[in-house]
Amino acid sequence: MARSDATPPPGPGRPGPGGCTTSEGGAARPPATPHRSGRSGVVGTIGAVGGVVGGLIGGGSGVLFVPALDRFTAMSRARVHGTSTIANIGVCVAGAAGYAAGGGALDLRVGAGLIVGATIGGVIGPRLLARASENLLRVLLIAILVLTAAKLAVDAFAPALLSDALVPDRLIADPWFLHSATTVVGLVIGAWAGAMGLGGGLLAVPAMVLLFGTELHVAAGTSLLMFIPNSIVGTVVHLRQGTASWRWGRLLAITAAPGTLAGVALGLSLDAVVLGLVFATFAAVMAVRETVQLLRRRRHSSS
């Protein structure tokens, strides 16, 4: 296994000797990761706030980790996503434990297949990430944020439109169908989460609610449990291929844990409709932020 702090070879937007990155023309840029102690405080704060988000919405802390690391470090986008995957270990472990201690229920009938599929996806996703462009990563993130916000807003304002699960009850009651379907869904979500470092909650929670009729609070707790093995497997792959920073990912994971417990407590105390609106609003804000960043990036590259 490669060193945990291994970095890709020097190249455009990648760290070179001494931790510096190179531009398209080969000129030295600032260090690719923050090295001063003051930056440790910034990253620690990002971890704590992201933990609250993850505990509140059942994972998905990466929607805060990724933009924040992109803003406060000079790491490549792929390396930012990989580092977020490491951080999600702390979020998922603390979150699942918090839901159990707080009396939150888990849907293991749906969750078992999702866990198996997500673990396999955790191996596939990071390998796909290494081949994706930064613009593509941003577009994919924006798409899922918009879809998630729209779905939860419809649930809150017009629950009668989506009051029943899309999968018929007779199929959900069939163990063979349920375990097969959830494994496939888990594989897709796990590959996405392993690649993007988002923790999976942005996809897993809506999928459980929309497809299988899982109650929102139960889906949040099940999602956190589901992505413990996914995050661990994804971390190993990211570190081996050099698309993650162990130093900053570890700090995020440690500082995210107490924030996650606070987020779980808040999530369990909120009505499902209110929780859905909070989740939808957060996803919409992040989608706007990522869209602005993408447009600025394209404008800069064309000038």
Side-chain angles (χ1 to χ4, degrees):
M1 177 172 174
R3 286 182 55 194
S4 60
D5 58 349
T7 58
R14 292 182 177 178
C20 292
T21 60
T22 57
S23 63
E24 296 291 342
R29 282 175 44 185
T33 53
H35 292 287
R36 297 180 182 178
S37 58
R39 288 291 180 90
S40 297
V42 172
V43 174
T45 301
I46 292 170
V49 176
V52 174
V53 172
L56 183 63
I57 66 177
S61 298
V63 294
L64 187 142
F65 290 151
V66 169
L69 289 174
D70 189 48
R71 167 66 177 82
F72 291 105
T73 78
M75 290 190 290
S76 70
R77 189 71 176 197
R79 196 164 165 80
V80 164
H81 283 284
T83 301
S84 178
T85 299
I86 301 174
N88 285 326
I89 296 176
V91 173
C92 293
V93 171
Y99 265 91
L106 301 176
D107 186 349
L108 295 182
R109 287 187 68 251
V110 172
L114 291 172
I115 290 172
V116 173
T119 303
I120 299 172
V123 178
I124 300 171
R127 301 184 188 281
L128 297 176
L129 172 74
R131 303 177 182 179
S133 69
E134 296 208 4
N135 282 344
L136 176 61
L137 292 174
R138 289 182 185 273
V139 170
L140 291 174
L141 178 57
I142 292 168
I144 195 60
L145 286 170
V146 170
L147 290 174
T148 299
K151 190 272 170 191
L152 290 171
V154 169
D155 280 354
F157 291 111
L161 296 178
L162 291 174
S163 57
D164 297 322
L166 294 181
V167 177
D169 290 342
R170 61 182 177 81
L171 292 179
I172 294 177
D174 181 351
W176 288 103
F177 173 84
L178 182 64
H179 294 317
S180 299
T182 53
T183 299
V184 172
V185 172
L187 176 63
V188 174
I189 297 175
W192 167 272
M196 302 294 286
L198 301 180
L202 284 175
L203 283 178
V205 173
M208 281 186 275
V209 173
L210 182 60
L211 296 177
F212 306 110
T214 306
E215 194 270 329
L216 187 58
H217 287 94
V218 176
T222 306
S223 172
L224 287 163
L225 178 65
M226 166 185 175
F227 283 98
I228 293 176
N230 173 272
S231 299
I232 294 172
V233 170
T235 291
V236 172
V237 178
H238 275 298
L239 290 175
R240 283 181 173 175
Q241 67 185 21
T243 49
S245 167
W246 171 247
R247 178 182 181 184
W248 300 113
R250 179 180 58 186
L251 177 59
L252 284 171
I254 293 171
T255 54
T260 302
L261 294 176
V264 167
L266 179 59
L268 288 173
S269 68
L270 292 177
D271 177 78
V273 173
V274 176
L275 179 59
L277 287 175
V278 170
F279 195 171
T281 301
F282 179 79
V285 170
M286 289 296 101
V288 171
R289 191 266 180 194
E290 284 294 301
T291 301
V292 171
Q293 291 296 319
L294 178 62
L295 293 175
R296 286 178 177 173
R297 181 182 176 84
R298 289 184 172 179
R299 189 181 304 117
H300 178 73
S301 62
S302 62
S303 62

